[in-house]
Amino acid sequence: MQRALVTTDDRTGRMWSLSRPDRSARRRSLRLLAAAMVAVGILTGCTAGPDPGPDLVIEENNGGGQAPTTTPPPPSLEVPKQDLAWRECGDDLQERFPGTDLPPGITFECGNFENSVTPGTQSIDTVTVSAVRARSADTPADAAPLVLTSGTDIPSTRTLLSLAQGGGRNLLSAHPVVAVDRRGTGASTPLDCMTNLERNTLLNNGFSTSSADYPARVERLAAAGTSASDGCTEILSPHQVQFTGNNAAADLEKLRTVWQVDRIGIAGVGEGAAVALAYAGLYTDHLARLILDTPAPYSTNAQTTGQQIAEGTGAALGLFADQCRAISCSLGADPGVVIAGLLDRARTGGLDGIADTDVLAALTTTIALAPGDRATVITTAADMLSAADGGALGTLRTAIAQARALRGTDGQLLSQCNDTSEPVGRNQIDGLIAEWGRQYPLTGAGTALGLLRCNGFPAGAAPPTIGEIPVPVLMFTGSGDTINGPTASDGINGALIGAGATSSILSWEGLGYSVLAHSDCAGEAAIAYARSGEPPAPGACPA
């Protein structure tokens, strides 16, 4: 029999709970605020999303690995023999993600399952993993599901909503899609181990209106990282390093065993691609399909990861500025200059106490997730910035709050630190701020500062290196991804080729997070790949 233990933390006065068998309490207990909803999403489609493109443009000798082979044939996707206790939960999702409309004609159902907090070892402590399933009236009853994860970027359930709203919703006509929130984030045992001051200092990169210079921000940020690390370690011990990508992959493996199938298909978006690659390395024989959608850097040190993200997101913002100018948006003839000026005003305390880091987070999150076609997305983001530039800050403040809720929770911060390899020394930060600030004017300095967020946090087990993958891999790369950017895709594809994997890349020049969520061309490619196990030839989906 299990009981829920509830404890008050002396440090913060907050409550946490953990489901465990009846036993005497340990000296220290976990402060895991378990939210038991497992969100498994099955996506169907009816309306056009940003930058859809029905036709695939084939390109010769572009970015793929070895030529597709049909011998031996890839294993088939399987229909679950057992399933979660699903319940319809559209109203719950609208409460979780206010302002996000549920697309008509799609059913969203929630479920959950338990897994050991320390997969592979005996433990009386568990995490509750939440999932949402999306499906439509057109989804075949006997269709095998695809598992969707976006890792620590944003809750996987929110990525599923984007897919259901966007161009890639046609995937739901062939398969239910099950979104699994990464442990510690979303509704999967969300963590709450930092004080408000620690969390705010980490998210605004040490910003203060009293001293805006970078050395002062470095001091504040480093101190907040150390303090937050101490607090989270005290509250979560001995499990403070159990929120890694490897353990997130173990949660997907647990779902496979619940389903009683031999293999599963996984679509990893952004940082979720790291979870998918970890699964491929740790549970190779149980992988049936692998889709990597504009993957974040994988198995790289902290400095390389930061630089790739600064470069990729900076380029995506440049694409936004170019397209903004092309449609005569409200930012005028040179949107890039307006964005840079607004960030500089915020950095020096001239935007009513709003930090430059928060302005950038609001902008990148809006471009990444705003619904509608390309012109609508550009107009939404541009009007928010032009209003702020003129002194009307209400829309910007709302977007900042949404960005923090989606991308800045304690579980996301701690999980990112659990996955950090070879952290950058504090004495290197000043040089990187200057260097990256010159190379990537909109994103470089802030990304360099952000490397200090994990100051003092312990890291967990390293992810497996990319090795032999028994199935062909389908990869999408989105030039307009403002959360991770496309820079890491080439390195990951090179590692796949080096390991002997068959891979194929489809590029997309549109704006938004997840090519699969925005392009019906990508949706059709995913349907064909899920059916046959063979990805299409390398090429480009129209934007």
Side-chain angles (χ1 to χ4, degrees):
M1 178 173 125
Q2 290 193 331
R3 62 189 177 90
L5 302 181
V6 180
T7 292
T8 301
D9 176 51
D10 292 336
R11 179 172 173 268
T12 63
R14 292 190 293 256
M15 306 290 288
W16 63 264
S17 65
L18 176 70
S19 177
R20 60 169 61 174
D22 277 331
R23 296 198 181 184
S24 60
R26 295 182 177 179
R27 183 173 59 87
R28 289 182 179 174
S29 37
L30 295 177
R31 187 175 180 276
L32 304 179
L33 295 175
M37 186 182 70
V38 174
V40 176
I42 300 175
L43 305 175
T44 93
C46 304
T47 60
D51 300 335
D55 301 318
L56 176 63
V57 180
I58 301 300
E59 299 175 1
E60 297 296 332
N61 301 318
N62 176 33
Q66 300 173 2
T69 177
T70 57
T71 55
S76 299
L77 289 170
E78 300 176 56
V79 178
K81 299 178 179 65
Q82 298 292 329
D83 217 332
L84 304 178
W86 298 110
R87 62 178 180 83
E88 193 165 342
C89 61
D91 291 342
D92 293 344
L93 296 183
Q94 288 194 300
E95 284 187 21
R96 282 183 61 191
F97 306 108
T100 302
D101 295 329
L102 299 185
I106 297 179
T107 300
F108 293 93
E109 298 161 296
C110 297
N112 61 62
F113 57 95
E114 302 290 318
N115 197 19
S116 170
V117 72
T118 54
T121 63
Q122 289 187 342
S123 174
I124 61 173
D125 297 328
T126 63
V127 293
T128 300
V129 184
S130 172
V132 174
R133 179 174 69 180
R135 56 196 175 99
S136 75
D138 295 329
T139 308
D142 60 350
L146 284 172
V147 176
L148 176 71
T149 172
S150 48
T152 59
D153 287 340
I154 60 175
S156 302
T157 302
R158 180 61 182 84
T159 305
L160 177 62
L161 294 179
S162 291
L163 192 153
Q165 295 170 329
R169 67 191 175 280
N170 52 0
L171 177 60
L172 291 179
S173 66
H175 295 275
V177 177
V178 176
V180 180
D181 288 349
R182 178 168 163 164
R183 58 166 57 198
T185 75
S188 291
T189 312
L191 304 184
D192 182 11
C193 60
M194 300 179 194
T195 66
N196 288 335
L197 177 60
E198 291 164 350
R199 185 183 306 111
N200 187 59
T201 304
L202 294 180
L203 292 179
N204 67 24
N205 277 351
F207 172 79
S208 172
T209 55
S210 61
S211 51
D213 58 288
Y214 284 127
R217 294 181 72 164
V218 167
E219 292 296 323
R220 286 189 291 267
L221 190 54
T226 299
S227 176
S229 171
D230 290 344
C232 288
T233 296
E234 179 182 352
I235 290 169
L236 301 176
S237 180
H239 302 310
Q240 64 269 28
V241 294
Q242 298 303 328
F243 296 88
T244 61
N246 289 354
N247 285 350
D251 294 337
L252 301 187
E253 172 64 5
K254 178 66 175 181
L255 178 60
R256 182 195 67 80
T257 64
V258 170
W259 280 343
Q260 297 183 17
V261 296
D262 290 333
R263 298 171 184 264
I264 58 174
I266 304 174
V269 181
E271 197 279 331
V275 176
L277 286 168
Y279 188 94
L282 297 170
Y283 309 101
T284 308
D285 293 339
H286 297 301
L287 184 67
R289 301 288 184 273
L290 180 58
I291 299 173
L292 306 177
D293 187 347
T294 316
Y298 179 73
S299 194
T300 55
N301 62 42
Q303 182 171 333
T304 300
T305 296
Q307 185 165 14
Q308 289 185 353
I309 290 177
E311 178 183 350
T313 55
L317 288 175
L319 179 64
F320 164 78
D322 290 343
Q323 296 187 3
C324 194
R325 179 175 54 252
I327 68 168
S328 300
C329 72
S330 59
L331 294 179
D334 199 336
V337 170
V338 178
I339 296 170
L342 195 62
L343 290 174
D344 191 57
R345 279 177 56 193
R347 181 183 61 81
T348 56
L351 205 61
D352 198 25
I354 296 177
D356 54 346
T357 309
D358 279 326
V359 174
L360 193 61
L363 175 60
T364 55
T365 305
T366 298
I367 296 171
L369 300 177
D373 60 19
R374 176 170 50 181
T376 300
V377 172
I378 293 171
T379 299
T380 298
D383 289 353
M384 174 184 72
L385 294 186
S386 59
D389 195 40
L393 301 172
T395 303
L396 177 61
R397 291 189 188 278
T398 299
I400 289 170
Q402 292 173 342
R404 286 192 169 206
L406 288 172
R407 300 172 61 186
T409 66
D410 292 2
Q412 287 165 304
L413 291 167
L414 182 133
S415 297
Q416 289 160 6
C417 295
N418 271 192
D419 286 339
T420 295
S421 172
E422 300 177 43
V424 175
R426 183 171 167 181
N427 62 340
Q428 299 173 265
I429 296 298
D430 289 342
L432 292 177
I433 290 173
E435 179 183 350
W436 292 1
R438 288 190 300 269
Q439 292 177 312
Y440 322 113
L442 298 180
T443 59
T447 304
L449 267 175
L451 295 174
L452 281 175
R453 290 179 179 178
C454 291
N455 186 61
F457 277 88
T465 57
I466 295 177
E468 182 177 353
I469 296 178
V471 296
V473 180
L474 174 59
M475 187 186 301
F476 301 113
T477 61
S479 298
D481 175 10
T482 51
I483 291 182
N484 293 297
T487 306
S489 299
D490 287 344
I492 291 174
N493 188 57
L496 290 170
I497 295 172
T502 300
S503 63
S504 181
I505 296 179
L506 299 182
S507 61
W508 181 69
E509 297 293 326
L511 293 169
Y513 178 75
S514 174
V515 178
L516 188 57
H518 289 80
S519 167
D520 57 357
C521 161
E524 291 297 334
I527 291 172
Y529 170 63
R531 181 186 304 117
S532 69
E534 297 292 346
C541 283

